[in-house]
Amino acid sequence: MTTRRTRPAPRPPEGTPPRAELARQARHVLADAVRIARWAAVERGATAAPGSGPGAVPAQERAAAALNLTPGQIRAGWDRARLAGLVELHGDTARPGWRLHAWDRDDSAVLRGWVALFDAWSLVHPAPEGVEPSAVAEVVEALPQVLSLLQLSQGPVLVPALLDLLGQRVEELREERCEVPGAEQAPEATEAHGTTGASASVHGTDGLPALLDWALEGLAAVGALTLDPGAEGRHATLTPLGNWAVWVKLEQICVAAQSPAGNIEQSAEDMLRGCARLTPGPARAEYRAWLAARTLSSAVTELLTVARGEDALLRGLAFEALRVVGAPAEAEVRATVAEPSLRPYALLWLAEYEGADPDDAQEVLTREESTWLWVDTAAAVADHGESELLVRHLDSAVQGTVPALLDEIRAVGHPRTVQVLVALAAAHPDPALAKAVRRAAFQVHTGGA
């Protein structure tokens, strides 16, 4: 567990600027969008948003006059502000997004906003006219392969080489979908064009070069790459921001590919239920894969929501997943110390996070907190385990005798006390002890001493 906690995070490629410099570059790319978002936030009580819809044109004109930009620049900046999460739309009224509030002080918020814009590059510029939407979708789906080549090349790549790779990837996608020429298409017709149907549609003059130009221009517009003429022809080069973003995406894919149980797309609750059947090692791999597919803040919130539920097994598993999160979860875990149902789990998590040996972490709990945790764990065993496990769970109690344990269980007031005692009485082979446990369950149920 100590090794897991101290394992260093993957390091970006050599030469990648520090996060503060990347954030500075992202702020530069989105400077106009931030200005427009702040103008719209101030004017939101009296004007429509300068995007589209009723009242948009007057708003664009007012924004252009106030910010010394053209209406076209206002429209483009407004689209970027929306895509980067700088503004929220409520009808025709704009409200500042949380990233706008944190823009000047939080580099992580800035980089996440830029990555959101990077992910939405295909919405920045309209696709070329006269091209089928399916062809546009194929290029969008195939472009990560092109970006990977640019990232691995660590320098400029000629556009014809990118076009060749894009054509190969599109062809692979079509083959995966079994897009073969129909039976009604005669072989002679195919041969008349000098190639097969799939190859003709990919490598011919059906718009793929224009779509590649559109994609590269869209990525250049969001600051992910640069396009230069060059002596040997046009070439593309990832910017430091684009290189970092592609590396982040590749790391996420590599981590997600390690998922043994296929719960990446599930909710936190369903993912934890799937991990309940796994041994600790594969479960941790599953947690890492699930976390890699989400922003950490939303993942931590979702895990703590599950932990607050009634299922004690999921509560324990949620904190195991939070151990994989590590430092980014500290503030939210620390805040749960005030919640009685989560307090023992949070105290153990914090103790291990601060360096305590897992075997010694129990010492941070009071006697009452240890008893509460014993009952909660017993509830998880009663709901999901076998009766023999519940009997063996008696040995883990801090109390030396069963009567002392029963007295303290009644005192802590766990909401599952009665059910746990009834299940323990039904499972225990000693008739006398089972009778005492049933009596204790009855007393708790009736409110007796």
Side-chain angles (χ1 to χ4, degrees):
M1 191 167 292
T2 301
T3 302
R4 182 177 76 245
R5 184 174 58 249
T6 59
R7 181 182 294 123
R11 305 182 73 173
E14 186 176 354
T16 301
R19 286 177 67 86
E21 172 60 19
L22 292 172
R24 186 196 66 77
Q25 295 177 17
R27 287 186 176 97
H28 176 73
V29 171
L30 286 163
D32 284 350
V34 171
R35 291 179 62 203
I36 295 167
R38 285 175 173 161
W39 177 87
V42 171
E43 297 291 327
R44 66 182 184 273
T47 183
S52 59
V57 173
Q60 291 170 11
E61 294 173 350
R62 283 193 290 272
L67 301 175
N68 195 27
L69 297 172
T70 67
Q73 290 173 320
I74 293 294
R75 287 191 298 271
W78 179 253
D79 286 342
R80 293 180 178 213
R82 282 192 308 106
L83 295 171
L86 297 171
V87 291
E88 299 174 356
L89 287 184
H90 299 266
D92 288 333
T93 302
R95 296 179 185 173
W98 71 269
R99 284 183 181 139
L100 186 64
H101 292 301
W103 196 253
D104 292 329
R105 67 177 187 277
D106 190 340
D107 289 346
S108 293
V110 173
L111 289 174
R112 288 178 181 176
W114 183 84
V115 169
L117 179 66
F118 169 73
D119 288 339
W121 67 267
S122 59
L123 304 179
V124 173
H125 286 313
E129 295 182 1
V131 179
E132 289 293 328
S134 59
V136 174
E138 285 175 341
V139 169
V140 172
E141 187 177 357
L143 206 69
Q145 197 99 351
V146 174
L147 290 171
S148 297
L149 174 62
L150 286 167
Q151 200 266 345
L152 293 172
S153 299
Q154 298 182 346
V157 179
L158 291 172
V159 170
L162 298 177
L163 179 61
D164 184 61
L165 176 63
L166 180 64
Q168 294 177 32
R169 182 58 183 148
V170 169
E171 185 173 357
E172 290 172 359
L173 292 172
R174 291 178 177 176
E175 288 176 353
E176 290 171 4
R177 288 192 289 266
C178 300
E179 290 190 2
V180 297
E184 68 278 2
Q185 182 177 357
E188 295 80 8
T190 301
E191 292 171 1
H193 289 81
T195 183
T196 64
S199 297
S201 63
V202 173
H203 297 296
T205 57
D206 64 343
L208 197 59
L211 283 173
L212 177 61
D213 288 342
W214 161 71
L216 294 177
E217 289 166 3
L219 288 164
V222 301
L225 56 80
T226 58
L227 282 169
D228 301 293
E232 300 179 2
R234 263 203 332 158
H235 59 261
T237 310
L238 286 178
T239 63
L241 263 179
N243 189 65
W244 169 78
V246 175
W247 172 79
V248 169
K249 299 296 181 183
L250 289 173
E251 282 296 312
Q252 291 176 346
I253 292 170
C254 290
V255 172
Q258 300 172 9
S259 168
N263 290 304
I264 296 173
E265 297 181 358
Q266 303 297 323
S267 66
E269 181 175 347
D270 291 339
M271 181 272 294
L272 292 173
R273 290 192 188 280
C275 291
R277 301 186 298 271
L278 302 176
T279 55
R284 285 192 293 271
E286 192 72 6
Y287 301 149
R288 282 191 289 269
W290 186 85
L291 291 165
R294 289 157 180 78
T295 60
L296 284 179
S297 58
S298 64
V300 170
T301 299
E302 195 173 347
L303 288 169
L304 288 175
T305 299
V306 175
R308 293 185 178 96
E310 297 181 357
D311 195 320
L313 176 65
L314 297 187
R315 186 160 29 254
L317 292 176
F319 275 87
E320 284 299 315
L322 289 168
R323 285 180 173 87
V324 175
V325 176
E330 180 189 2
E332 293 195 53
V333 170
R334 198 174 293 278
T336 65
V337 169
E339 302 179 41
S341 64
L342 302 186
R343 179 178 174 82
Y345 294 95
L347 291 175
L348 291 175
W349 189 98
L350 291 168
E352 294 174 24
Y353 171 74
E354 292 167 359
D357 188 279
D359 294 333
D360 300 330
Q362 291 277 347
E363 296 176 2
V364 304
L365 302 182
T366 65
R367 180 98 163 195
E368 291 77 12
E369 290 162 353
S370 293
T371 302
W372 196 100
L373 183 60
W374 187 93
V375 178
D376 206 49
T377 306
V381 176
D383 289 343
H384 301 279
E386 299 176 357
S387 58
E388 293 180 0
L389 291 176
L390 189 58
V391 173
R392 289 203 297 270
H393 185 55
L394 273 175
D395 297 333
S396 66
V398 296
Q399 294 78 8
T401 65
V402 172
L405 172 63
L406 295 177
D407 288 341
E408 294 187 28
I409 284 177
R410 289 197 292 263
V412 298
H414 192 288
R416 295 292 304 278
T417 297
V418 173
Q419 293 92 330
V420 165
L421 292 177
V422 169
L424 182 58
H428 207 284
D430 186 335
L433 190 146
K435 182 178 180 180
V437 173
R438 277 194 299 271
R439 185 183 303 114
F442 179 77
Q443 290 172 344
V444 173
H445 176 65
T446 58

